[in-house]
Amino acid sequence: GVINPFGAQSADGQALLDKAGASGLILFGKGTTTNFDARASREIGDWFGAGRQAAIAVGTEFRKEKFSQVANTDYAEIVVASTGVDPNTNSRGDRKVYAFYGELNVPVLKDLDLTAAVRYDKYNDFGNTTNPKVGFRFQPTKEVLLRGSYSTGFRAPSLYELNAAQTFTNSSTVSDPKLCPTGSGSPLLCKTQFQVLNGGNTQLQPEKSKSATLGFQFAPIADASFGIDFWWLRLKNLIGVIGDASLYDPANYGQFGQYFHRNPAGQLSTDGTACPGADCGYIDVRQQNLGGTNTNGFDLNGNYRLRTAYGNVNFSLNSTYVTKYEFQEYQNGPWNQ
């Protein structure tokens, strides 16, 4: 008789509600990056008599990264059922990265420049990688310019993606793909919310890419120009989360069954008080290395300057036309257009 569910609370009713609440700081997190880099460049002569100097640039980089995320244990124990944060969370990670890079630009003809660049990175947690880039710039007349490039790329998972605190929470409304493949049946198995695990994944691998461009720029008069650039991009090992439509599809259970960690009864938990613990049944929805993305298209640009007695008026257009975009929701999965 203390709580009034139909109107304003009395002082005793409000005090009882306040006593039932628990507020506080649940996690302490900190990330630091220390970086040192040095670079130098100079001209090195007209190697081919093109009338312009070749140039070289070199550089080096050292980076140290640290990450930590620690639970406020006393408070986390009170709210573990609703937050899914393990009171014993003590996630830490660190890495050292060394890099060396260089770029060489060489005019080989009066109207043709070639560029070559390379970057070497060494991660103490992912090994080393070398990524080159080559390009050209050809301008046979003042009005016409052709340009192009090809390069590869690399992105290591961040320390947060690797080491973030792991927490349990509710899934969206789904059905157990093994025990409820038809989507109808027991409310403990079908169209319900299960416990899922979020957080860092130390098994992640780097993302990699290849890209190329080829462009044309034309300036028929001093105040007007337009151009088109074709671009081509291929990405693989993209870091992300498997979509629910694929993860809970009974047809995919043979492939994704590894992410379903069942309790001793062979089921998935629907009660947050079970996780973490020996009776916790959950789905691992941490970030994974998914499939790839393939895309290409054209960048279009146009510029015109109108000169008037009152000043200049500039008109411009920048537009992208995508001719292809396909992606995989998971490793070796079908390509979605």
Side-chain angles (χ1 to χ4, degrees), residues 13-138:
Q14 188 60 50
L16 189 58
L17 288 175
D18 293 342
K19 185 178 179 181
S23 61
L25 184 66
I26 192 167
L27 285 169
F28 302 88
K30 183 178 182 180
T32 61
T33 300
T34 303
N35 191 78
F36 168 82
D37 66 271
R39 67 199 81 163
S41 62
R42 62 166 294 171
E43 293 181 338
I44 51 177
D46 186 357
W47 290 1
F48 297 96
R52 286 170 290 117
Q53 297 275 318
I56 188 172
V58 295
T60 184
E61 179 184 0
F62 168 75
R63 187 170 71 252
K64 184 175 182 180
E65 302 174 2
K66 295 178 66 177
F67 169 83
S68 65
Q69 204 168 40
V70 182
N72 180 8
T73 304
D74 292 342
Y75 177 65
E77 287 178 345
I78 298 173
V79 296
V80 61
S82 58
T83 66
V85 175
D86 187 341
N88 298 313
T89 294
N90 190 339
S91 301
R92 299 180 185 274
D94 62 81
R95 68 159 56 123
K96 295 178 181 178
V97 185
Y98 304 87
F100 303 93
Y101 53 89
E103 182 173 356
L104 178 66
N105 178 259
V106 181
V108 295
L109 299 171
K110 189 173 81 170
D111 47 18
L112 175 63
D113 287 16
L114 299 181
T115 301
V118 65
R119 180 182 175 99
Y120 171 83
D121 293 88
K122 183 176 182 179
Y123 290 73
N124 70 329
D125 52 353
F126 284 106
N128 56 71
T129 177
T130 302
N131 292 284
K133 179 179 180 179
V134 293
F136 76 92
R137 186 181 188 276
F138 178 56

Side-chain angles (χ1 to χ4, degrees), residues 8-297:
Q9 299 296 332
S10 65
D12 289 342
Q14 188 60 50
L16 189 58
L17 288 175
D18 293 342
K19 185 178 179 181
S23 61
L25 184 66
I26 192 167
L27 285 169
F28 302 88
K30 183 178 182 180
T32 61
T33 300
T34 303
N35 191 78
F36 168 82
D37 66 271
R39 67 199 81 163
S41 62
R42 62 166 294 171
E43 293 181 338
I44 51 177
D46 186 357
W47 290 1
F48 297 96
R52 286 170 290 117
Q53 297 275 318
I56 188 172
V58 295
T60 184
E61 179 184 0
F62 168 75
R63 187 170 71 252
K64 184 175 182 180
E65 302 174 2
K66 295 178 66 177
F67 169 83
S68 65
Q69 204 168 40
V70 182
N72 180 8
T73 304
D74 292 342
Y75 177 65
E77 287 178 345
I78 298 173
V79 296
V80 61
S82 58
T83 66
V85 175
D86 187 341
N88 298 313
T89 294
N90 190 339
S91 301
R92 299 180 185 274
D94 62 81
R95 68 159 56 123
K96 295 178 181 178
V97 185
Y98 304 87
F100 303 93
Y101 53 89
E103 182 173 356
L104 178 66
N105 178 259
V106 181
V108 295
L109 299 171
K110 189 173 81 170
D111 47 18
L112 175 63
D113 287 16
L114 299 181
T115 301
V118 65
R119 180 182 175 99
Y120 171 83
D121 293 88
K122 183 176 182 179
Y123 290 73
N124 70 329
D125 52 353
F126 284 106
N128 56 71
T129 177
T130 302
N131 292 284
K133 179 179 180 179
V134 293
F136 76 92
R137 186 181 188 276
F138 178 56
Q139 190 168 11
T141 69
K142 183 177 66 174
E143 295 82 14
V144 177
L145 170 66
L146 295 173
R147 60 195 174 197
S149 67
Y150 172 81
S151 63
T152 64
F154 172 94
R155 188 185 81 84
S158 70
L159 289 181
Y160 181 82
E161 291 170 327
L162 292 168
N163 301 291
Q166 300 192 356
T167 62
F168 291 93
T169 186
N170 292 325
S171 69
S172 58
T173 301
V174 294
S175 296
D176 187 323
K178 179 182 179 181
L179 303 181
C180 183
T182 64
S184 60
S186 167
L188 294 178
L189 305 173
C190 308
K191 295 181 180 178
T192 187
Q193 291 181 306
F194 300 112
Q195 291 296 292
V196 294
L197 175 66
N198 294 293
N201 183 356
T202 57
Q203 303 303 310
L204 291 174
Q205 295 299 309
E207 300 178 340
K208 296 183 178 181
S209 71
K210 296 179 180 179
S211 62
T213 65
L214 181 63
F216 168 80
Q217 199 75 22
F218 182 53
I221 59 176
D223 292 328
S225 67
F226 63 88
I228 181 170
D229 287 274
F230 170 76
W231 47 267
W232 174 91
L233 179 63
R234 298 293 180 263
L235 303 168
K236 67 178 183 179
N237 289 341
L238 290 176
I239 296 172
V241 178
I242 301 172
D244 282 0
S246 297
L247 184 61
Y248 296 100
D249 186 341
N252 294 335
Y253 189 75
Q255 180 173 4
F256 296 144
Q258 60 183 309
Y259 301 123
F260 289 76
H261 300 265
R262 299 179 179 276
N263 60 24
Q267 297 184 347
L268 301 170
S269 300
T270 57
D271 182 357
T273 60
C275 299
D279 293 325
C280 177
Y282 66 93
I283 306 104
D284 186 346
V285 297
R286 294 174 299 166
Q287 294 192 95
Q288 309 287 339
N289 284 109
L290 306 182
T293 295
N294 297 331
T295 182
N296 45 256

